[in-house]
Coordinates of all heavy atoms in Angstrom, one line a residue:
V10 N -2.0 -2.8 -8.5 CA -2.7 -2.6 -7.3 C -1.8 -2.2 -6.2 O -2.1 -1.2 -5.5 CB -3.5 -3.9 -6.9 CG1 -4.1 -3.7 -5.5 CG2 -4.6 -4.1 -7.9
I11 N -0.7 -2.8 -6.1 CA 0.3 -2.5 -5.0 C 0.7 -1.0 -5.2 O 0.7 -0.3 -4.2 CB 1.5 -3.5 -5.0 CG1 1.1 -4.8 -4.6 CG2 2.6 -2.9 -4.2 CD1 2.1 -5.9 -4.8
E12 N 1.1 -0.7 -6.4 CA 1.6 0.7 -6.6 C 0.5 1.7 -6.4 O 0.8 2.8 -5.7 CB 2.2 0.8 -8.0 CG 3.0 2.0 -8.3 CD 4.3 2.1 -7.4 OE1 4.8 1.1 -7.0 OE2 4.6 3.2 -7.0
N13 N -0.7 1.5 -6.9 CA -1.8 2.5 -6.8 C -2.2 2.6 -5.3 O -2.5 3.7 -4.9 CB -2.9 2.1 -7.7 CG -2.7 2.2 -9.1 OD1 -1.8 3.0 -9.5 ND2 -3.5 1.6 -10.0
F14 N -2.3 1.5 -4.6 CA -2.7 1.6 -3.2 C -1.7 2.3 -2.4 O -2.0 3.1 -1.5 CB -3.0 0.1 -2.7 CG -3.8 0.1 -1.4 CD1 -5.1 0.4 -1.4 CD2 -3.1 -0.1 -0.2 CE1 -5.9 0.4 -0.2 CE2 -3.9 -0.1 1.0 CZ -5.2 0.1 1.0
R15 N -0.4 2.0 -2.6 CA 0.7 2.6 -1.9 C 0.7 4.1 -2.1 O 0.8 4.9 -1.2 CB 2.1 2.1 -2.3 CG 2.4 0.8 -1.7 CD 3.9 0.4 -2.1 NE 4.7 1.2 -1.2 CZ 5.9 1.7 -1.5 NH1 6.3 1.6 -2.8 NH2 6.6 2.4 -0.7
N16 N 0.6 4.5 -3.4 CA 0.5 6.0 -3.7 C -0.7 6.6 -3.1 O -0.5 7.7 -2.5 CB 0.5 6.2 -5.2 CG 1.8 5.8 -5.9 OD1 2.8 5.8 -5.3 ND2 1.7 5.5 -7.2
H17 N -1.8 6.0 -3.1 CA -3.0 6.6 -2.5 C -2.9 6.8 -1.0 O -3.2 7.9 -0.5 CB -4.2 5.8 -2.9 CG -5.5 6.2 -2.1 ND1 -6.2 7.4 -2.5 CD2 -6.1 5.8 -1.0 CE1 -7.2 7.5 -1.7 NE2 -7.1 6.6 -0.8
T18 N -2.5 5.7 -0.3 CA -2.4 5.8 1.1 C -1.4 6.8 1.6 O -1.6 7.5 2.6 CB -2.2 4.4 1.8 OG1 -1.0 3.9 1.3 CG2 -3.3 3.5 1.6
E19 N -0.3 6.9 0.8 CA 0.7 7.9 1.2 C 0.2 9.4 1.0 O 0.3 10.2 1.9 CB 2.0 7.7 0.5 CG 3.1 8.7 0.9 CD 4.5 8.4 0.3 OE1 4.6 7.5 -0.6 OE2 5.4 9.1 0.7
E20 N -0.4 9.6 -0.2 CA -0.8 10.9 -0.5 C -2.1 11.4 0.3 O -2.2 12.5 0.7 CB -1.1 11.0 -2.0 CG 0.1 10.9 -2.9 CD -0.2 10.8 -4.4 OE1 -1.4 10.9 -4.8 OE2 0.8 10.5 -5.1
E21 N -3.0 10.5 0.4 CA -4.3 10.8 1.0 C -4.4 10.6 2.5 O -5.1 11.3 3.2 CB -5.5 10.1 0.4 CG -5.6 10.4 -1.1 CD -6.0 11.9 -1.3 OE1 -6.8 12.4 -0.6 OE2 -5.5 12.5 -2.3
H22 N -3.6 9.6 3.0 CA -3.8 9.2 4.4 C -2.5 9.4 5.2 O -2.4 9.1 6.4 CB -4.3 7.8 4.6 CG -5.5 7.5 3.8 ND1 -6.7 8.1 4.2 CD2 -5.8 6.7 2.8 CE1 -7.7 7.7 3.3 NE2 -7.1 6.9 2.5
G23 N -1.4 9.7 4.5 CA -0.1 10.0 5.2 C 0.6 8.7 5.7 O 1.4 8.8 6.6
I24 N 0.3 7.6 5.1 CA 0.9 6.3 5.6 C 1.7 5.7 4.4 O 1.1 5.5 3.3 CB -0.2 5.3 6.0 CG1 -1.0 5.9 7.2 CG2 0.4 3.9 6.4 CD1 -2.1 5.0 7.6
D25 N 2.9 5.4 4.7 CA 3.8 4.9 3.6 C 4.0 3.4 3.9 O 4.9 3.0 4.5 CB 5.2 5.6 3.7 CG 6.1 5.2 2.6 OD1 5.7 4.6 1.6 OD2 7.3 5.5 2.7
Y26 N 3.1 2.6 3.3 CA 3.2 1.2 3.4 C 4.3 0.7 2.5 O 4.5 1.2 1.3 CB 1.9 0.5 3.0 CG 0.8 0.6 3.9 CD1 -0.4 1.4 3.6 CD2 0.8 0.0 5.2 CE1 -1.4 1.5 4.4 CE2 -0.3 0.1 6.0 CZ -1.4 0.9 5.7 OH -2.4 1.0 6.5
S27 N 5.0 -0.3 2.9 CA 6.0 -1.0 2.0 C 5.3 -1.8 1.0 O 4.2 -2.3 1.2 CB 7.0 -1.8 2.8 OG 6.3 -2.9 3.3
K28 N 6.0 -2.2 -0.1 CA 5.5 -3.1 -1.1 C 5.1 -4.4 -0.4 O 4.1 -5.1 -0.8 CB 6.4 -3.3 -2.3 CG 6.5 -2.1 -3.2 CD 7.4 -2.5 -4.4 CE 7.4 -1.2 -5.3 NZ 8.2 -1.5 -6.5
E29 N 6.0 -4.9 0.5 CA 5.8 -6.1 1.2 C 4.5 -6.1 2.0 O 3.8 -7.1 2.1 CB 7.0 -6.5 2.0 CG 8.3 -6.8 1.3 CD 9.0 -5.5 0.7 OE1 8.7 -4.4 1.2 OE2 9.9 -5.7 -0.2
A30 N 4.3 -5.0 2.7 CA 3.0 -4.9 3.5 C 1.8 -5.0 2.6 O 0.8 -5.7 3.0 CB 3.0 -3.6 4.3
I31 N 1.8 -4.3 1.5 CA 0.7 -4.4 0.6 C 0.5 -5.8 0.0 O -0.6 -6.3 -0.1 CB 0.8 -3.4 -0.6 CG1 1.0 -1.9 0.0 CG2 -0.4 -3.4 -1.5 CD1 -0.2 -1.4 0.8
M32 N 1.6 -6.5 -0.3 CA 1.5 -7.8 -0.7 C 0.9 -8.7 0.3 O 0.1 -9.6 0.0 CB 2.9 -8.4 -1.1 CG 3.0 -9.8 -1.6 SD 2.1 -10.0 -3.1 CE 3.3 -9.3 -4.3
Q33 N 1.2 -8.5 1.6 CA 0.6 -9.3 2.7 C -0.9 -9.0 2.7 O -1.7 -9.9 2.9 CB 1.2 -9.0 4.0 CG 2.6 -9.5 4.2 CD 2.6 -11.1 4.1 OE1 1.8 -11.7 4.7 NE2 3.5 -11.6 3.3
F34 N -1.3 -7.8 2.5 CA -2.8 -7.5 2.5 C -3.4 -8.3 1.4 O -4.5 -8.9 1.6 CB -3.0 -6.0 2.2 CG -2.6 -5.0 3.2 CD1 -2.5 -3.6 2.9 CD2 -2.3 -5.3 4.5 CE1 -2.2 -2.7 3.8 CE2 -2.0 -4.4 5.5 CZ -1.9 -3.1 5.1
L35 N -2.8 -8.3 0.2 CA -3.4 -9.1 -0.9 C -3.4 -10.6 -0.6 O -4.5 -11.2 -0.9 CB -2.6 -8.8 -2.2 CG -2.8 -7.4 -2.8 CD1 -1.8 -7.2 -3.9 CD2 -4.2 -7.3 -3.4
L36 N -2.4 -11.1 -0.1 CA -2.3 -12.5 0.2 C -3.4 -12.9 1.3 O -4.0 -14.0 1.2 CB -0.9 -13.0 0.7 CG 0.1 -12.9 -0.4 CD1 1.5 -13.2 0.2 CD2 -0.2 -13.8 -1.6
R37 N -3.5 -12.1 2.3 CA -4.5 -12.4 3.4 C -5.9 -12.3 2.8 O -6.7 -13.2 3.2 CB -4.3 -11.4 4.5 CG -3.2 -11.7 5.4 CD -3.2 -10.8 6.6 NE -1.8 -10.8 7.2 CZ -1.1 -9.7 7.4 NH1 -1.6 -8.5 7.2 NH2 0.1 -9.8 7.9

C-alpha cells in the first residue's frame, strides 16, 4: 500500500510523500 500510494501520488498528483508520511497516514 505504501509503495503503490507513493507511486500514484507522485505520478498523478506531483506529490512525493516519504515512506514515513504514508506510514503515518495508515497509523492515523
Side-chain angles (χ1 to χ4, degrees):
V10 169
I11 290 169
E12 194 62 31
N13 289 341
F14 196 77
R15 283 189 75 217
N16 290 339
H17 172 77
T18 55
E19 183 173 5
E20 292 171 9
E21 297 298 321
H22 305 296
I24 298 173
D25 183 16
Y26 288 113
S27 68
K28 287 184 179 182
E29 292 79 15
I31 303 297
M32 180 64 77
Q33 287 298 315
F34 291 165
L35 286 167
L36 292 174
R37 285 188 199 126

